[in-house]
Amino acid sequence: MMAPIVVVGIGADGWTGVAAAARKQVSDAQVVLGSARQLDLVPADATGARRERWPSPLLPALAELLDRHRDRRVCVLASGDPMFYGIGVTLARMLGPHGIRVYPQPSSAALACARLGWASAHTPVVSVVGRPVETVLPELSDGRRLLVLSADEHSPSQVADLLRGNGFGQSRMTVLEQLGGPRERAVASTAAQWTPPPGDPLNLIAVEAVRDPDAPRLTRLPGLSDARYGGDGQLTKAEVRALSLTALAPAPGELLWDVGGGSGTIAIEWCRTHPDCRAISFERDAARRDRIGSNATALGVPAVVVRGAVLEALAAGDVAGPDAIFLGGGLTQDGVFAACWARLPVGGRLVANAVTAESEALLVNWAATYGGALRKFQIYRAGALGGFTAWRPQLPVAQWVVTKSEQH
């Protein structure tokens, strides 16, 4: 049986900051794995172990690398707290909690909050390591403080550009480099006036968000203005969207199938409710697929997966099973509902919207067979009528909301 892999956090202060118990684990190891920077922080006389740099890319090669050393005492070096966006999380997922033994150091976020006097329990952290910088957007609101884990020395200027371009140019940015080490330093300015050249690649960005007075106010709650979405007008309108997402009831970590994505509104706002929410948007039209991707990026959830027609995607056999399904299109297409229902687990939710008499009739029949609740609503919006204001009706929407039971 493979011995637990020891994971030792090491900060910018290097070997001197590593506790005695963790040092002993490094010294007793037969193989020490880590990045070039981390390995260089361990003195030559601290261990007689074989030192091996991580391969690039790491994840595809990790299983084979660990299997190659399965009969040796392995120590993995990590930055700060290995379980905070670190290699410890990946190893725990692969090997289980009993397959690793972790010796953490303070995380960069803990050190940043200590330097700034911020309450760490109330300071969200967003990572742009291997993620688009737009991932920061859903966390922005006026007066909020947040930390951004940088990918490299270029991340601060990218974050400054993002803030300026999204109505947060007056936000204060503090870039903290080499936290906890002898070369620690801080650089601060507003996003609008950010001009410092690239500094140390090991940095973290603290943002004190200030929204421009004329910037749109975007929250995590569903029902963003229709004007926030580009496209050909094929979208679930804001009021209906809010009711539909409430019925879908997203929870952290859950996966949504958005069938008939249109402009991607349901998938996007599902993912905006929590950073761990995931979505796959199925859309057969190529131009709309491109638009879903651009809308998702612009609204800070670039990880929304965009696929083609749902039946074709399911036939390919590589689609993760959903926790909830939204049917906004394809109701009258043979096989779409049956295929989706078959893959929905017991306890999963399905919400279907219909605007035509034919699709509404299907909802009534399905409700009679599978249960759930039917409702119908119509939205009126005010508009000009000559010199007066008149109420203009939107198309009425019939909605079926159902939770799959063991009987179905």
Side-chain angles (χ1 to χ4, degrees), residues 24-49:
K24 187 175 188 307
Q25 296 296 326
V26 179
S27 299
D28 291 347
Q30 295 173 301
V31 178
V32 177
L33 306 173
S35 68
R37 181 185 67 81
Q38 293 158 352
L39 292 170
D40 287 344
L41 292 174
V42 180
D45 60 355
T47 178

Side-chain angles (χ1 to χ4, degrees), residues 8 11 21 73 79 89 115 135 143 164 205 283 308 328 348 363 365 368 387 401 406:
V8 172
R73 295 187 301 276
S79 294
V89 177
R115 300 292 187 270
T135 307
R164 285 195 299 267
I205 309 160
E283 172 55 57
L363 298 191
N365 291 334
V401 181
E406 292 183 356

Side-chain angles (χ1 to χ4, degrees), residues 188-205:
S189 180
T190 64
Q193 299 173 327
W194 190 261
T195 57
D200 195 285
L202 189 63
N203 72 82
L204 176 149
I205 309 160

Side-chain angles (χ1 to χ4, degrees), residues 233-235 237 239-240 353-357 360 376-381 392-398:
Q234 186 71 22
L235 81 169
K237 299 296 192 292
E239 301 88 349
V240 177
N353 288 356
V355 295
T356 68
E360 182 178 329
K376 193 171 187 177
F377 33 78
Q378 186 168 26
I379 305 299
Y380 289 77
R381 292 181 176 179
R392 300 188 183 279
Q394 308 291 304
L395 286 173
V397 177

Side-chain angles (χ1 to χ4, degrees), residues 75-136:
C75 176
V76 169
L77 299 180
S79 294
D81 182 354
M83 304 307 291
F84 184 76
Y85 290 94
I87 187 65
V89 177
T90 302
L91 292 173
R93 190 181 300 120
M94 290 179 60
L95 305 174
H98 302 296
I100 60 173
R101 187 180 304 133
V102 180
Y103 293 79
Q105 289 270 72
S107 68
S108 57
L111 292 172
C113 287
R115 300 292 187 270
L116 298 166
W118 292 4
S120 57
H122 300 289
T123 303
V125 180
V126 184
S127 174
V128 295
V129 179
R131 300 174 175 87
V133 71
E134 289 84 3
T135 307
V136 173

